[in-house]
Amino acid sequence: MTADLQIRPRLVSRALLIRFVSIFGSSIGFYLPLSVVPLFAKQTGSDSGAGLATVALLLATVAAELVTPRLVTRVGYRWALATGLVLLGAPTLLLTVSSNVWVIIGVSIIRGIGFAIAVVAGGAVTALLIPADRRGEGLALVGIVGGIPGLLALPAGVWAAAHWGFTPVFVATTVATLLALLSVPGLPRYDATPKEDGGHGVLAGLRNPVLTRPATVFAVSAAAVGVLVTFLPLAASDQPAWVAASALLAQPAAATAARWVAGRVGDRHGPGLLLVPGVVLSAVGMAAIAFTGTPSLVIGGAVVLGAGFGALQNATLTLMYARVPAGGESAVSAIWNAAYDLGMAAGALGAGLLIGSVGYPVTFVLAAVVIVPALALVRRDRRP
């Protein structure tokens, strides 16, 4: 056992540490103004603009994620990552001089494109920097590096806007994102292979069940998270304010911890082993949240949902990377990130259509029920 540990490849290299800088910058750049921009639009008198800004950001992100591998093939990982950081950060400065609703929507679209390019190109680079037999653990570490800044930046943006105004938030977003550009030249120079536009590109990946099955399983769990973050504050409005706040903090915290555990377990026993527990925990957690009048069940359910979601985050992405040859990393990154965003959007949209007729508890139960059929998919993915 000691000999095995000694010959394991080093997980954190100098190149990966450099990559952490752009992960941190893109996370701050995305999450710091995420809840502030709708508030900014609403302050201008446009309630519809507040919603449109978020929808525009999401749709632009998904669309760009699916075409980013072609950009990577043409310009390489480093130039693509740099382009994404610029598009994510620089347009935010426009909001310091204009509050026109169409400017806000336009900035959101450009930022969504930038974020998509940054996470897809950057995610592909990250996969190349992590030793293959420690990929699960490495991706878990990357999730922590990106997740904690996002977790803190989201409420920090709202707090800063309330105390100092919108302009400091927008300026800080731009500065933090563009400063991350300084790290890009320090990354190894990888050239995307022609395979990415051929048999291992996004379109081919979307036709390949060994990739779409894990992506679909992850999307179903992401849909439950979309329901939670969108509607729990409303569903628990008759409870003390700390109930919803605690649940919304507990879910991502549990997910972050679960990603780390899943990475270590997956590297030793195979990531496919984690799919069934991840699906079951997601469904059970979402069902517990349906008891909106019982704070312990709401918060406990959020913890369980977060654990299942975190396990699936790590296991599905690790499986997908293991199933493509060299050159297919950006296609996997694109498909997985699109599944994440579309799943959350579908969950929020579907729940929004149901709540008016069946109420919050039943909607949450239905969100849990929808997760269960994913067990039929994971039975075929026990192995990489």
Side-chain angles (χ1 to χ4, degrees):
M1 179 66 71
T2 302
D4 290 340
L5 290 175
Q6 288 176 345
I7 63 174
R8 294 183 76 196
R10 183 180 178 185
L11 178 60
V12 180
S13 62
R14 177 179 179 275
L16 188 59
L17 286 173
I18 293 173
R19 167 65 184 133
F20 285 168
V21 176
S22 53
I23 293 173
F24 183 89
S26 60
S27 182
I28 295 293
F30 183 77
Y31 286 105
L32 189 65
L34 185 60
S35 294
V36 174
V37 170
L39 292 173
F40 182 62
K42 187 172 183 178
Q43 180 179 278
T44 66
S46 176
D47 288 342
S48 61
L52 286 173
T54 302
V55 171
L57 177 74
L58 179 63
L59 293 180
T61 299
V62 173
E65 282 168 346
L66 296 177
V67 300
T68 294
R70 287 186 174 272
L71 174 66
V72 171
T73 300
R74 290 182 178 275
V75 304
Y77 296 108
R78 294 198 301 180
W79 278 106
L81 176 57
T83 300
L85 290 171
V86 170
L87 294 178
L88 175 62
T92 316
L93 281 180
L94 292 175
L95 301 182
T96 66
V97 296
S98 176
S99 59
N100 181 278
V101 65
W102 294 110
V103 172
I104 295 172
I105 293 172
V107 167
S108 297
I109 291 172
I110 298 172
R111 279 175 40 78
I113 294 170
F115 183 66
I117 296 172
V119 297
V120 171
V125 170
T126 303
L128 294 171
L129 297 176
I130 298 171
D133 59 353
R134 300 191 69 181
R135 182 168 284 154
E137 188 178 357
L139 292 175
L141 179 60
V142 168
I144 293 172
V145 172
I148 291 178
L151 180 66
L152 298 176
L154 189 61
V158 175
W159 183 90
H163 288 77
W164 302 327
F166 295 107
T167 295
V169 176
F170 298 146
V171 171
T173 298
T174 299
V175 171
T177 309
L178 296 185
L179 279 176
L181 285 169
L182 298 174
S183 69
V184 175
L187 293 172
R189 186 185 300 275
Y190 291 112
D191 293 320
T193 70
K195 291 179 181 178
E196 297 219 33
D197 271 340
H200 305 290
V202 173
L203 292 179
L206 291 173
R207 295 191 296 266
N208 188 348
V210 302
L211 296 183
T212 57
R213 282 198 304 268
T216 301
V217 170
F218 179 53
V220 171
S221 181
V225 175
V227 175
L228 173 75
V229 301
T230 305
F231 295 108
L232 181 62
L234 299 175
S237 59
D238 59 341
Q239 298 294 316
W242 60 265
V243 175
S246 298
L248 292 175
L249 178 62
Q251 187 274 322
T256 299
R259 287 187 75 173
W260 177 255
V261 174
R264 295 181 66 85
V265 172
D267 284 343
R268 288 161 174 76
H269 305 289
L273 184 69
L274 299 163
L275 296 178
V276 170
V279 170
V280 171
L281 288 173
S282 297
V284 170
M286 194 68 231
I289 294 167
F291 293 89
T292 54
T294 307
S296 60
L297 286 176
V298 171
I299 298 170
V303 171
V304 175
L305 172 60
F309 178 69
L312 290 176
Q313 274 186 299
N314 188 279
T316 55
L317 185 57
T318 305
L319 272 176
M320 291 169 70
Y321 277 134
R323 290 172 173 177
V324 296
E329 293 86 4
S330 62
V332 165
S333 183
I335 293 169
W336 187 85
N337 279 289
Y340 192 167
D341 295 329
L342 286 174
M344 290 195 69
L349 178 61
L353 296 174
L354 287 172
I355 283 170
S357 56
V358 301
Y360 293 107
V362 174
T363 298
F364 291 167
V365 170
L366 291 175
V369 170
V370 168
I371 298 172
V372 176
L375 289 171
L377 294 176
V378 304
R379 289 196 310 173
R380 303 185 63 181
D381 282 308
R382 297 292 180 86
R383 292 182 173 181

